[in-house]
Amino acid sequence: METAALKPAGNVKVTRDDWLAAAMAVLVDAGVEQVKILTLSERLGVSRSSFYWYFEDRQHLLDDLLDVWNRSNTGVIQHHCAMPSATIAEAVLNLFRCFVGVDAFDHRLDFAIREWARRSVDVRRVVDEADAARLAAIAQIYARHGFAAVEADTRARILYYMQIGYYAMELNEPLDERLGRVGGYVAGFTGVPATSDELDAFIAHARTSDTGETP
């Protein structure tokens, strides 16, 4: 994210969302210690007093940041896991879709939150709850397609931890290289090959939404 001041054009009023966006940018770029009211007001080009139209104090802002992160990153996984699917391969490909596009899972934000959790027991609890919710949603796609509970849970963990590990390693493989492996990933995660139609639909979606963040 850019670190330049996020000044609104003309005399446009700075909104609550503007404060949250600025705070999110600082969190990702510099860590939670730098998410300060003065720092944010300077980025937005407004006085500190306008902060208090929307937030009681800095802690209120931090609590809202956690809520935004959870609704966006955990929510996008849950949404894609709940999409209708005729086969387990299609279900996993639906999940893969949440990692592409401008409104996709934000891995930089996720790791910023996890770094914050190293310093806060309360944030660690929220992160643990989010991980549990994500794993439950992924396990449910396996359960819907006939996998026993233990196997559904195990496969969900393999898939989720692989994706988080990919981001942690900052592999940044070219899009074509990653798309060439999608069929193998589906077979590895499910034990069932995807059909050519299923793969073609996902690849078309990935290319349309290309951010270089395919599974």
Side-chain angles (χ1 to χ4, degrees):
M1 292 184 181
E2 296 295 331
T3 56
L6 302 176
K7 295 182 179 180
N11 295 317
V12 175
K13 181 180 179 181
V14 174
T15 67
R16 179 179 179 276
D17 286 345
D18 291 329
W19 282 100
L20 284 169
M24 203 76 76
V26 172
L27 175 66
V28 170
D29 288 343
V32 68
E33 295 85 358
Q34 299 305 314
V35 180
K36 302 174 182 178
I37 299 171
L38 177 59
T39 301
L40 300 178
S41 67
E42 290 175 347
R43 286 175 64 92
L44 291 167
V46 297
S47 67
R48 285 184 294 175
S49 61
S50 67
F51 172 88
Y52 296 99
W53 282 101
Y54 305 108
F55 307 98
E56 295 176 5
D57 51 26
R58 178 175 181 268
Q59 187 57 53
H60 184 188
L61 170 67
L62 294 179
D63 290 343
D64 282 2
L65 281 179
L66 269 181
D67 183 58
V68 170
W69 160 74
N70 209 2
R71 284 188 287 108
S72 59
N73 271 11
T74 301
V76 73
I77 289 176
Q78 293 172 320
H79 169 74
H80 283 79
C81 285
M83 291 173 66
S85 54
T87 67
I88 184 57
E90 183 182 13
V92 167
L93 288 168
N94 284 342
L95 174 58
F96 286 176
R97 291 185 180 218
C98 82
F99 301 115
V100 298
V102 293
D103 296 322
F105 180 90
D106 186 337
H107 69 280
R108 293 188 69 221
L109 173 59
D110 223 60
F111 280 105
I113 296 291
R114 291 179 189 279
E115 185 62 28
W116 179 9
R118 295 176 185 271
R119 296 163 172 77
S120 168
V121 173
D122 290 339
V123 176
R124 177 75 262 173
R125 175 183 52 77
V126 175
V127 169
D128 288 344
E129 290 173 354
D131 282 333
R134 296 172 187 184
L135 285 167
I138 299 170
Q140 186 57 37
I141 71 176
Y142 288 100
R144 288 203 312 268
H145 289 282
F147 289 77
V150 172
E151 185 175 3
D153 176 74
T154 301
R155 288 184 181 274
R157 290 171 184 274
I158 292 170
L159 195 164
Y160 179 59
Y161 296 152
M162 175 269 182
Q163 185 64 46
I164 297 300
Y166 172 84
Y167 290 136
M169 293 179 67
E170 299 181 335
L171 295 177
N172 294 320
E173 296 168 324
L175 179 63
D176 286 341
E177 186 176 334
R178 299 227 74 199
L179 290 177
R181 294 193 175 105
V182 168
Y185 286 144
V186 172
F189 292 143
T190 68
V192 178
T195 66
S196 58
D197 286 346
E198 289 169 337
L199 288 174
D200 288 347
F202 172 77
I203 290 171
H205 172 81
R207 291 196 183 284
T208 300
S209 308
D210 180 15
T211 61
E213 297 293 348
T214 56

